[in-house]
Amino acid sequence: MKLTKDLRIAISGKSGCGNTTVSGLLAKKLGITLINYTFRQLAEEKGMTLKEVIEKAKNDDSYDKYVDSHQVELALKEPCVLGSRLAIWMLKEADFKVYLYADEDTRANRVFTREGGDLQEIKAFTAMRDSEDTRRYKEFYNIDNNDYSFVDLIIDTSKYTPEQEVKLIIDKLKEKKLVR
């Protein structure tokens, strides 16, 4: 696969939609860098749990602002796939924007399969995380993360495998002559 330009692709979706998986597969297929810097990576760097970072971020916007600015900074350096909750809104320079969607049950089941635990607790945690994310994004950036109508491609990930989703994205990239 050959890029026709220094391509930057932004992929967003809520927890459990497959952002990390699809972004990674796509970056590999295109031979470009994957950037997926999130609260999860920040938690690892700080020696905290994801839950602790989310709790601290409720009252300290420096967590969000660092993650958001750092990932855009990284994305502007080279052709890449940026996969994050806010990629499609924050990376204004993206050549192609994808939103991955899945219903709450599908998302919770994926998190359960990936991490284990109690399914009802995961559903509650995911709902809390979604609500908290929406509140923060609106407050910090005036972004409504439930409005993704402007993207180039919306994929309901409950209907496809990650490999099929990557094929859908590549087909659109070819259609737009961003890759050959």
Side-chain angles (χ1 to χ4, degrees), residues 106-180:
T106 300
R107 293 169 46 224
N109 281 315
R110 287 181 181 158
V111 172
F112 174 75
T113 300
R114 181 179 68 216
E115 298 173 11
D118 178 86
L119 186 57
Q120 291 310 314
E121 284 181 21
I122 291 169
K123 283 183 180 182
F125 179 73
T126 301
M128 178 279 296
R129 186 175 181 189
D130 288 348
S131 172
E132 202 48 44
D133 286 350
T134 298
R135 181 195 65 76
R136 284 193 330 275
Y137 301 156
K138 188 73 169 163
E139 180 183 326
F140 298 157
Y141 305 114
N142 199 30
I143 289 172
D144 176 359
N145 69 327
N146 293 306
D147 177 14
Y148 41 86
S149 59
F150 59 90
V151 300
D152 299 291
L153 181 62
I154 298 169
I155 301 173
D156 181 345
T157 65
S158 66
K159 296 180 180 180
Y160 304 98
T161 66
E163 293 77 15
Q164 290 170 324
E165 294 163 33
V166 168
K167 183 180 180 335
L168 289 170
I169 295 167
I170 289 175
D171 288 347
K172 278 289 191 189
L173 291 170
K174 286 179 179 176
E175 187 181 299
K176 290 187 170 275
K177 302 192 181 338
L178 295 170
V179 299
R180 296 185 250 148

Side-chain angles (χ1 to χ4, degrees), residues 3-15:
L3 305 181
T4 60
K5 63 178 291 192
D6 275 357
L7 187 61
R8 285 170 183 79
I9 300 168
I11 300 179
S12 292
K14 294 182 180 180
S15 175

Side-chain angles (χ1 to χ4, degrees), residues 6-161:
D6 275 357
L7 187 61
R8 285 170 183 79
I9 300 168
I11 300 179
S12 292
K14 294 182 180 180
S15 175
C17 284
N19 300 345
T20 304
T21 301
V22 171
S23 296
L25 288 171
L26 181 63
K28 186 173 184 176
K29 185 93 170 164
L30 295 175
I32 59 179
T33 300
L34 168 66
I35 297 170
N36 184 245
Y37 191 85
T38 64
F39 271 3
R40 193 174 301 279
Q41 284 74 35
L42 182 63
E44 286 174 23
E45 287 177 12
K46 290 188 168 284
M48 300 167 68
T49 66
L50 176 59
K51 196 170 187 170
E52 288 171 331
V53 169
I54 291 169
E55 281 302 311
K56 289 202 178 276
K58 285 180 181 179
N59 301 309
D60 182 351
D61 64 359
S62 69
Y63 288 87
D64 280 281
K65 291 183 178 172
Y66 177 75
V67 166
D68 300 334
S69 65
H70 187 61
Q71 67 186 358
V72 170
E73 207 174 272
L74 293 170
L76 292 175
K77 291 182 180 179
E78 62 187 317
C80 66
V81 175
L82 173 60
S84 77
R85 300 276 184 277
L86 287 180
I88 61 174
W89 292 275
M90 298 298 284
L91 187 58
K92 308 271 189 250
E93 299 81 0
D95 300 289
F96 194 77
K97 296 179 179 186
V98 179
Y99 189 80
L100 303 178
Y101 168 84
D103 62 65
E104 292 175 14
D105 286 337
T106 300
R107 293 169 46 224
N109 281 315
R110 287 181 181 158
V111 172
F112 174 75
T113 300
R114 181 179 68 216
E115 298 173 11
D118 178 86
L119 186 57
Q120 291 310 314
E121 284 181 21
I122 291 169
K123 283 183 180 182
F125 179 73
T126 301
M128 178 279 296
R129 186 175 181 189
D130 288 348
S131 172
E132 202 48 44
D133 286 350
T134 298
R135 181 195 65 76
R136 284 193 330 275
Y137 301 156
K138 188 73 169 163
E139 180 183 326
F140 298 157
Y141 305 114
N142 199 30
I143 289 172
D144 176 359
N145 69 327
N146 293 306
D147 177 14
Y148 41 86
S149 59
F150 59 90
V151 300
D152 299 291
L153 181 62
I154 298 169
I155 301 173
D156 181 345
T157 65
S158 66
K159 296 180 180 180
Y160 304 98
T161 66

